[in-house]
Structures are given as structure tokens and as C-alpha cells.
Amino acid sequence: FKPCIDGFAFYKSIVQVDGTFLYGKYKGTLLVAVVQDGRNNIIPIAFVAVEDGLCLISDRHEAIRSAYSRNGSGWTENNFVHVYYIRHIAQNFMQRFKNTALKKNVVNMGNFIITFFKTFNN
């Protein structure tokens, strides 16, 4: 993966995600996120195998919601959940308030909430 890391500065700012069903011994879906560099070479940046429903982690921007809400997109309330990524929340916080101490508190609060719900659900 070192070439992928070294080439990071040259990636275009579009991430593409695709998936394929797994058959045989392993079931589920293999999802792959890729980017392109300036020469249109395709570079994998992440992959995951999922067994059932999906969890979409993002800053919950309206454009993302619009994309998965389109008719025929395949995304339904029954097969995925859309959640916030605490890092995005912290970045948005910093853009407005520019206070690193408060940003750290925001991240710690998000981590506490995650830990609390995991404990509560168990």
C-alpha cells in the first residue's frame, strides 16, 4: 500500500465506491473505494467485506443524502444507516470557532457518546 500512500498528493478529489457479491465459502459483499491520479490510473484506497446492512459514515452533506435518496439508487432504510463521522463534525467546528481546545472537547464528547451507546446496547 506504500505506492498508494506516496501517490496521495496526486489523487483527483473524487472517490468512487463499487461492490460485488461474494459467492462460495465467503458470503456478503466486497466494497472497494478507488481514486484516480492525474494520469487516470485507478488506485484502491479502501476495501471492506460486509455481510448485511451498510453503515454510511460521512459529514451528512445534503449532496450525499440526495444521491442515495434518488429513486432506483438501491439505498433503502432497510439496508443501511447514515451516521456522522466525528472528525467531520470537529473540522466543521474548527472552521467556525477556530479553537483547538474546544475541538478536542467535541471529539471527546463524540467518543463518549459512542462508548455510552455501545455499553447501553450490550
Side-chain angles (χ1 to χ4, degrees):
F1 296 107
K2 185 170 178 355
C4 297
I5 295 168
D6 293 344
F8 187 81
F10 307 103
Y11 295 165
K12 295 178 183 178
S13 59
I14 297 173
V15 176
Q16 302 167 48
V17 178
D18 197 6
T20 185
F21 294 107
L22 301 173
Y23 300 99
K25 181 178 178 182
Y26 301 101
K27 305 291 186 210
T29 305
L30 176 65
L31 301 176
V32 180
V34 298
V35 294
Q36 289 183 327
D37 64 11
R39 295 182 178 172
N40 292 328
N41 295 312
I42 297 173
I43 298 108
I45 57 172
F47 60 91
V48 64
V50 295
E51 292 184 9
D52 42 29
L54 298 175
C55 178
L56 176 61
I57 303 171
S58 76
D59 63 355
R60 296 182 60 110
H61 189 274
E62 180 59 28
I64 295 170
R65 190 196 66 73
S66 176
Y68 68 70
S69 296
R70 284 192 318 257
N71 286 336
S73 70
W75 295 79
T76 68
E77 291 183 15
N78 297 330
N79 70 359
F80 89 106
V81 62
H82 190 185
V83 298
Y84 287 101
Y85 181 29
I86 191 65
R87 182 169 179 241
H88 288 136
I89 295 170
Q91 285 175 334
N92 293 341
F93 184 90
M94 277 299 289
Q95 287 177 351
R96 179 157 184 194
F97 297 105
K98 303 194 183 350
N99 184 318
T100 55
L102 289 178
K103 176 187 171 187
K104 185 176 180 181
N105 289 341
V106 167
V107 171
N108 289 339
M109 182 175 55
N111 289 332
F112 170 79
I113 291 169
I114 291 167
T115 303
F116 173 79
F117 279 113
K118 282 183 180 176
T119 303
F120 181 77
N121 287 333
N122 289 336

